C-alpha cells in the first residue's frame, strides 16, 4: 500500500467517525463517547501525515506510534458504542473492521520501520577492520 492510499483511508475513517459522533444519542454516555471518539478518531490521519514528512527514521516511528495509539483508542470507542447498543451494530461493524485493518497496517509499518532502524544502527556501529 502506498503512503497516499493509507493517508486517504485514514482521512476517510475520520470522516466516518465524524458522522458516527453526530449520530450518537444526546445522553450522558453518548456525549462522553462522542467527545472522546471525535478526538481519537480524527487524530490518526494528521499524525500519519506528519510521519510521512518525518525528519528522521526515529521521528517517523514516533509519529506512526502516536497514530496507532489513537487508532486503537478509536477502535475501543467503536466497540463500546456497539456493546452499549448506542447505534445499530450493522451501522458500526464496517467501521470497526476498517479500524482493525488500519491498526494492522500501521502496526506492520512500525515493525518494518523498527527493523530498518536496527539494521541501519548495526551498520553504523560495525568496527572497521584493521
Amino acid at each position: 500500500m502506498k503512503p497516499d492510499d493509507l493517508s486517504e483511508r485514514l482521512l476517510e475513517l475520520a470522516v466516518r467517525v465524524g458522522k458516527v459522533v453526530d449520530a450518537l444519542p444526546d445522553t450522558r454516555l453518548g456525549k462522553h463517547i462522542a467527545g472522546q471518539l471525535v478526538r481519537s478518531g480524527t487524530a490518526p490521519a494528521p499524525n500519519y501525515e506528519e510521519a510521512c514528512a518525518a525528519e528522521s527514521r526515529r521521528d517517523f516511528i514516533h509519529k506512526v506510534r502516536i497514530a496507532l495509539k489513537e487508532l486503537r483508542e478509536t477502535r475501543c470507542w467503536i466497540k463500546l458504542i456497539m456493546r452499549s447498543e448506542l447505534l445499530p451494530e450493522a451501522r458500526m461493524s464496517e467501521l470497526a473492521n476498517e479500524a482493525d485493518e488500519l491498526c494492522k497496517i500501521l502496526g506492520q509499518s512500525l515493525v518494518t520501520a523498527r527493523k530498518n532502524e536496527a539494521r541501519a544502527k548495526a551498520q553504523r556501529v560495525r568496527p572497521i577492520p584493521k
Side-chain angles (χ1 to χ4, degrees), residues 39-95:
R39 185 196 52 74
S40 69
T42 57
N47 279 299
Y48 181 73
E49 287 293 328
E50 284 291 314
C52 290
E55 295 175 5
S56 66
R57 190 175 278 124
R58 267 185 119 171
D59 190 33
F60 174 82
I61 291 169
H62 174 71
K63 288 179 172 130
V64 170
R65 189 180 300 140
I66 292 169
L68 180 56
K69 178 180 174 250
E70 295 294 341
L71 197 52
R72 285 181 176 149
E73 182 180 343
T74 299
R75 185 175 58 181
C76 181
W77 290 119
I78 292 168
K79 288 178 184 177
L80 182 57
I81 290 168
M82 291 167 40
R83 290 188 188 172
S84 300
E85 299 176 349
L86 294 176
L87 291 175
E89 190 172 329
R91 178 175 183 175
M92 299 302 299
S93 62
E94 193 176 310
L95 185 60

